[in-house]
Amino acid sequence: MDVTEDRILGARLMLRQPAHGYRINADTMLLAAAVSAEPGMSLMEAGCGVGGAALAVAKRAPGVRVLGVERDPAMAALARENVIANGLAEQVSVELGDALARSWGVFDGVFFNPPFDLEGEGRAPAETRRAAHIAEETIDAWIAALSDRLKGGAALTLIHRASKLSEILAALEGRLGGVDIFPIRPFADEPAKRVIVRARKGSRAPLRLLKGLDLHDRSGAKHTPEAEAILRGDALIGWG
């Protein structure tokens, strides 16, 4: 497998990742910026890939421990290499296995960026990207399993397509509460294409639809200043 070495999070992290196939992207960094992380917390990333989001959370939150679970042996191996290369072995561990299994224990927070499509939905991805794009389990199955990995009061945080929001809310019903929805728009005058959703175990707080984030403007810059600050690790997603 051909591998590249890339700098992310404002060059704070070095990541080895496949030259072809699924690579970390803006979704990875947006998810990491949305995760609540305080010293002493134990977190889990379900489906951590090469470790981009898990490492980003650990890097900006010393004292937090993160377990990344990944079922692809090659991706898990790269994630372990990335943990060592970034000097984060005391904070981040990577296990090979099914993130939806019951064997992982409970955590102060769980976060995930699941495959967005079921078989037959959307465009067929290249074979090297298939596992990252085509889900074998529904979003209901993901949320049902990962809700059981939460301690009382802990948050489940995910990023997904905005078009899947109704399925996400249906899956959260009766399991988690205090739902916050953070839309991600390509431009201010366009509909959101992504949503970051956070919900807590045991919460009865009402649903909140937040202002969200515009990734680009019409100035020609790659990102808006707000998006650039988040993607570089200089700011976090604000839950208000």
Side-chain angles (χ1 to χ4, degrees):
M1 177 174 58
D2 293 333
V3 173
T4 64
E5 292 188 357
D6 304 290
R7 293 280 175 178
I8 64 167
L9 207 69
R12 296 179 182 91
L13 289 176
M14 186 281 292
L15 280 190
R16 288 170 54 81
Q17 58 181 335
H20 308 286
Y22 183 76
R23 294 165 59 82
I24 66 160
N25 54 27
D27 289 356
T28 310
M29 296 296 97
L30 291 169
L31 175 63
V35 175
S36 298
E38 301 292 340
M41 290 178 67
S42 174
L43 307 175
M44 173 186 177
E45 183 182 9
C48 69
V50 299
L55 288 166
V57 170
K59 188 69 174 178
R60 55 99 166 167
V64 167
R65 292 190 58 83
V66 185
L67 170 66
V69 180
E70 174 55 48
R71 68 177 185 175
D72 184 313
M75 296 300 101
L78 284 173
R80 290 181 180 127
E81 291 179 18
N82 289 330
V83 170
I84 299 300
N86 288 283
L88 289 168
E90 292 188 2
Q91 284 185 261
V92 182
S93 59
V94 178
E95 295 290 342
L96 179 65
D98 179 3
L100 305 192
R102 294 181 176 273
S103 56
W104 305 113
V106 293
F107 300 86
D108 300 304
V110 176
F111 56 102
F112 67 111
N113 176 10
F116 286 166
D117 294 323
L118 295 172
E119 189 70 50
E121 291 182 333
R123 295 181 296 177
E127 193 59 34
T128 54
R129 300 169 66 92
R130 182 178 179 80
H133 288 266
I134 303 299
E136 295 182 3
E137 301 287 350
T138 64
I139 191 62
D140 184 82
W142 278 80
I143 289 175
L146 297 177
S147 295
D148 288 341
R149 304 278 70 78
L150 295 172
K151 298 177 182 177
L156 183 69
T157 308
L158 69 136
I159 189 167
H160 215 300
R161 285 197 177 128
S163 60
K164 296 279 187 169
L165 181 57
S166 62
E167 295 178 39
I168 294 167
L169 293 177
L172 291 170
E173 184 68 29
R175 294 183 174 123
L176 303 176
V179 180
D180 292 333
I181 303 167
F182 191 90
I184 307 292
R185 293 173 293 273
F187 292 91
D189 56 356
E190 292 185 3
K193 288 192 175 181
R194 296 283 189 272
V195 286
I196 300 174
V197 179
R198 184 181 72 171
R200 293 191 178 276
K201 191 159 194 173
S203 175
R204 295 189 177 185
L207 181 148
R208 298 191 305 164
L209 178 61
L210 303 177
K211 178 182 178 181
L213 178 71
D214 304 321
L215 289 178
H216 313 285
D217 56 29
R218 306 296 180 181
S219 69
K222 187 174 182 180
H223 296 107
T224 61
E226 295 81 6
E228 183 68 19
I230 290 170
L231 295 173
R232 288 181 55 84
D234 297 328
L236 300 176
I237 296 293
W239 292 108

